[in-house]
């Protein structure tokens, strides 16, 4: 009989084992995402041409990163960024549910033999790789695998040392629940969901379930009810996280919940026959009791329960996907009907569209979201410049004031966007990133700074025009004509910039941007020289000439900022 101190020690050892397991899986996932980097984004972006390739993509990516949450978050990020449709995202999420079953099989293997025998050599290999400059990310991955195996092995040994199957208090507690009662199944399903929400890891709850079942304490029917609850609990977590995100993100998260809820409902209808079928596949005898065969044979039979749980998890997700994959358009309609989109005036809204603050961030994918947001930033700045062009032609005082107020508002939008995107990139930069992604973040920081400067230049132009309006002075027809020529070049340059921001780097070069900049500079120099001559010849007054030259200089500065943005993106 173990003392209370021994049980306290074993309890904390079990908690520490779970922590090792969760840390190891997180380390594996982070290392793989860092290794894959942009390639992982391209895989998700390209391999979703139809529902079946989308599903297979979800399977392989989740099996690779060992985290259905990471795959789901990446998918939701792609939907928010407009790179995947909701229907494509649903197919990927279905595949992620299948891919995550690999984790259950790894755990079941860990509970069937002493997996820690493989741990210590893995630690040695990992530390050698970590101290290698080129292979340190691979070392992080191996380190994560080693920690996961160590957590599994320690968890298994802790379960053996606790002798739960011989503890009368534990046996009496679980014997209070009628294994044949539907109420008991629902109760354990709810317990599994709540536990998963609390610990934020379905893998940890699965490990606890395997310990309880393998020790013969928890009947298989209650154990499978816990697993079903874990499936719901992990989706509720993602729905809570996505609540403050965009409409598409919440729809994708809700689709995940709908998928698992549907699966749980049909399993509950055929619960006992389905569980008995799974037990038959593994070779587990559901009728065996301690009294009928003896403790040794009973525990040998119970040792198969970890494989029963893994098999159930796999069959559940395979059958569920096999049914629902044919109804993705209908699921999309249901999700869109439940979660209705909010109408927002994108043109006058300073909020970020693609970056959602409440969404869990997968670093490599977050960079893509920021890139899309910067593309929107560039388009808004060109829209602001278009208002400046309209302002130069506006003669009516009332309309002039309204347009000037809109430009003022856009200046505030540009300031807010720069701050919010920079803050987001700083948060992403604190995570584990590939060298390529770190360099991309540095370039993006420069891009948003230069885009904000474009907003400042547009506002300065509006202020000059406002000063001209208040002074009741006006430019000559020749001056207005030259300003139109200059604005046309700047607008062309802005269009080029936005094409670069929204396209692939390899499709563009700096030559066209430099050509436009040279034309702007040449025209600026010509107009300044002409202005000095015409003021001296008294063609117009010095005050008008000063405002005119100020506008020419601001247009030239704006062109310089555009070049800086393009350089930051292409170099």
């Amino acid at each position: 009989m173990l003392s209370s101190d021994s049980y306290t020690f074993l309890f904390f050892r079990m908690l520490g084992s779970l922590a090792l397991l969760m840390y190891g899986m997180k380390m594996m996932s982070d290392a793989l995402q860092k290794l894959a980097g942009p390639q992982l984004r391209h895989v998700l972006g390209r391999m979703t041409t139809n529902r079946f390739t989308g599903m297979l993509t979800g399977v392989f990516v989740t099996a690779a990163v060992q985290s259905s949450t990471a795959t789901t978050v990446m998918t939701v990020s792609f939907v928010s960024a407009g790179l995947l449709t909701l229907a494509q995202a649903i197919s990927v999420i279905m595949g992620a549910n299948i891919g995550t079953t690999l984790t259950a099989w790894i755990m079941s293997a860990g509970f069937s033999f002493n997996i820690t025998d493989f741990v210590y050599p893995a630690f040695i290999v990992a530390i050698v790789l970590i101290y290698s400059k080129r292979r340190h990310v691979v070392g992080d991955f191996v380190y994560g695998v080693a920690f996961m195996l160590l957590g599994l092995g320690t968890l298994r040994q802790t379960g053996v040392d606790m002798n739960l199957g011989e503890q009368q208090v534990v046996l009496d507690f679980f014997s209070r629940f009628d294994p044949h009662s539907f109420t008991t199944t629902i109760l354990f399903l709810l317990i599994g969901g709540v536990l998963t929400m609390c610990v934020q890891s379905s893998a940890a709850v699965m490990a606890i379930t395997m310990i309880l079942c393998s020790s013969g304490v928890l009947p298989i029917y209650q154990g499978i009810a816990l697993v079903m609850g874990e499936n719901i609990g992990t989706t509720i977590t993602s729905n809570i996280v996505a609540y403050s995100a965009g409409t598409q993100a919440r729809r994708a998260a809700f689709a995940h919940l709908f998928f698992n809820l549907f699966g749980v409902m049909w399993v509950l209808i055929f619960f006992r026959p389905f569980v008995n079928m799974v037990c038959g596949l593994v070779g587990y005898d559901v009728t065996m009791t301690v009294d009928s065969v003896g403790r040794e044979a009973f525990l040998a039979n119970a040792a198969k329960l970890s494989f029963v749980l893994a098999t159930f998890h796999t069959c559940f997700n395979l059958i569920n996907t096999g049914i629902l994959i044919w109804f993705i358009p209908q699921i999309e309609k249901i999700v869109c009907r439940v979660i209705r989109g909010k109408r927002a005036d994108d043109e006058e809204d300073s909020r970020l569209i693609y970056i959602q603050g409440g969404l869990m961030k997968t670093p490599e994918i977050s960079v893509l979201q920021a890139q899309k947001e910067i593309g929107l930033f560039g388009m808004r700045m060109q829209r602001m410049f278009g208002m400046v062009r309209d302002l130069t032609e506006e003669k009516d005082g009332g309309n002039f004031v309204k347009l000037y107020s809109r430009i003022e508002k856009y200046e505030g939008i540009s300031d807010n966007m720069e701050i919010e995107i920079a803050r987001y990139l700083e948060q992403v930069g604190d995570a584990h990133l590939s060298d390529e992604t770190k360099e991309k973040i540095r370039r993006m920081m420069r891009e948003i700074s230069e885009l904000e400067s474009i907003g400042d230049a547009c506002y300065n132009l509006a202020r000059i025009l406002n000063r001209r309006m208040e002074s009741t002075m006006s430019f000559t027809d020749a001056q207005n004509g030259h300003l139109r020529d200059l604005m046309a070049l700047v607008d062309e340059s802005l269009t080029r910039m936005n094409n670069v921001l929204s396209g692939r780097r390899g499709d563009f070069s700096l030559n066209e941007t430099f050509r436009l900049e040279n034309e702007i500079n040449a025209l600026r120099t010509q107009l300044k020289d002409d202005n000095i001559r015409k003021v001296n010849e008294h063609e117009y007054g010095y005050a008008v000439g000063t405002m005119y030259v100020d506008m020419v200089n601001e247009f030239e500065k704006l062109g310089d900022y555009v070049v800086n943005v393009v350089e930051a993106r292409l170099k």
Side-chain angles (χ1 to χ4, degrees), residues 68-93:
S68 60
T69 300
T71 305
T72 303
V73 169
M74 282 188 270
T75 305
V76 170
S77 301
F78 269 45
V79 174
S80 298
L83 297 178
L84 286 182
T85 65
L86 182 58
Q88 289 173 318
I90 292 171
S91 67
V92 174
I93 289 170

Side-chain angles (χ1 to χ4, degrees), residues 219-239:
I220 185 58
Y221 298 108
Q222 282 95 312
I224 283 181
L226 282 176
V227 173
M228 291 163 63
E230 293 158 19
N231 277 274
I232 295 176
T234 192
T235 62
I236 291 174
T237 301
S238 62
N239 273 269

Side-chain angles (χ1 to χ4, degrees), residues 508-526:
F508 299 95
S509 71
L510 285 166
N511 296 335
E512 182 64 17
T513 301
F514 282 143
R515 181 189 67 78
L516 289 168
E517 172 63 7
N518 289 335
E519 287 188 30
I520 293 170
N521 289 342
L523 185 55
R524 180 238 12 218
T525 303
Q526 177 191 331

Side-chain angles (χ1 to χ4, degrees), residues 172-280:
D172 290 343
F173 173 78
F174 284 107
S175 65
R176 295 175 186 174
F177 302 99
D178 181 6
H180 304 289
S181 169
F182 184 74
T183 304
T184 300
T185 302
I186 296 297
L187 177 62
F188 275 81
L189 188 150
L190 293 173
I191 291 171
V194 171
L195 280 176
T196 305
M197 289 177 61
C198 291
V199 301
Q200 296 284 298
S201 172
S202 58
V205 181
M206 175 70 83
I208 294 171
T209 306
M210 285 183 174
I211 286 177
L212 292 172
C213 287
S214 298
S215 61
V217 172
L218 184 67
I220 185 58
Y221 298 108
Q222 282 95 312
I224 283 181
L226 282 176
V227 173
M228 291 163 63
E230 293 158 19
N231 277 274
I232 295 176
T234 192
T235 62
I236 291 174
T237 301
S238 62
N239 273 269
I240 292 172
V241 170
Y243 181 76
S244 59
T247 302
Q248 290 294 78
R250 288 185 287 118
R251 285 173 175 170
F254 182 75
H256 194 195
L257 174 62
F258 177 87
F259 175 84
N260 281 2
L261 273 176
F262 176 85
V264 167
M265 289 175 68
W266 71 255
V267 168
L268 286 175
I269 295 172
F270 306 102
F271 185 65
R272 295 187 71 83
F274 186 72
V275 173
N276 291 338
M277 180 202 74
V278 171
C279 291

